[in-house]
Amino acid sequence: MNNGATKQSHLVISALGEDRPGLVNDLSLAIFNSGCNIVDSRMTVLGGDFAILLLVSGNWNNLAKLEGQLPKLQERLSMTIAAKRTELRQESRMALPYTVEVISIDHPGIVYRLANFFSTRGITIHDLNTTSYAAAHTGTPMFAVNMTVDIPAEVHIAVLREEFMVFCDELNLDAIIEPIKG
């Protein structure tokens, strides 16, 4: 028996195209028909386009079959589709997951400044989502950031929290940072 045929391999697929009904159905059907499984996904509409990121698992042969179908699927769905083989994320150090929520009047550079704050401290951003919206009653353009960060166990949380709050006060950001529960 060929061990490569039964071991689970992983593929990241990204797809972008004009939003319309049926895209998730068509993509998930192609994955299902190839004998693969969607392990994790992110899907959203940005502007008039639909964006999707998928982590797909399957044995080597089934993933190869799926990869071979992607050019035709891309053409049929009028989407830009890219795929890359990947390994599951291996934690190389002890880290504590924290959630960060930030709300502010919208202005350029918020995501960059937040990313820089955490990056310079060796903290990995695991997940990040942003939303723009109009404030109730005033219509002021607002910006919200929700992220999950992995804080190394050796980082002193109280010091980090204090530095983060000072950082946010200087930028007029309303923020919280707290451990992810359960």
Side-chain angles (χ1 to χ4, degrees), residues 96-102 114 117-118 121 123-124 145-151 155-168 174-181:
L96 306 168
Y98 270 68
T99 185
V100 177
E101 296 179 15
V102 176
L114 288 166
F117 175 88
F118 291 110
R121 288 160 178 82
I123 297 170
T124 301
V145 179
N146 292 297
M147 66 175 84
T148 302
V149 295
D150 293 332
I151 300 176
V155 170
H156 192 274
I157 300 297
V159 172
L160 175 68
R161 183 176 277 125
E162 180 64 27
E163 289 175 352
F164 183 65
M165 290 302 138
V166 168
F167 165 82
C168 289
D174 187 16
I176 62 167
I177 182 170
E178 59 188 18
I180 294 178
K181 298 167 181 79

Side-chain angles (χ1 to χ4, degrees), residues 41-111:
S41 66
R42 303 290 185 276
M43 304 177 202
T44 191
V45 175
L46 298 169
D49 286 317
F50 178 73
I52 185 169
L53 283 173
L54 302 167
L55 177 61
V56 176
S57 70
N59 66 40
W60 189 91
N61 294 335
N62 289 349
L63 284 181
K65 178 180 173 182
L66 177 59
E67 287 171 313
Q69 295 172 3
L70 292 179
K72 287 182 183 175
L73 190 62
Q74 174 175 274
E75 185 177 323
R76 185 169 59 83
L77 299 179
S78 298
M79 297 185 84
T80 301
I81 299 176
K84 180 184 179 298
R85 293 280 179 131
T86 190
E87 298 293 324
L88 290 182
R89 184 177 179 195
Q90 300 296 321
E91 294 297 327
S92 61
R93 60 186 179 160
M94 294 292 295
L96 306 168
Y98 270 68
T99 185
V100 177
E101 296 179 15
V102 176
I103 297 175
S104 173
I105 293 175
D106 195 9
H107 60 276
I110 295 171
V111 172

Side-chain angles (χ1 to χ4, degrees), residues 17-37:
E18 188 175 328
D19 185 36
R20 66 181 183 284
L23 290 176
V24 174
N25 179 67
D26 292 340
L27 286 167
S28 61
L29 179 62
I31 292 164
F32 175 73
N33 285 340
S34 68
C36 296
N37 184 46

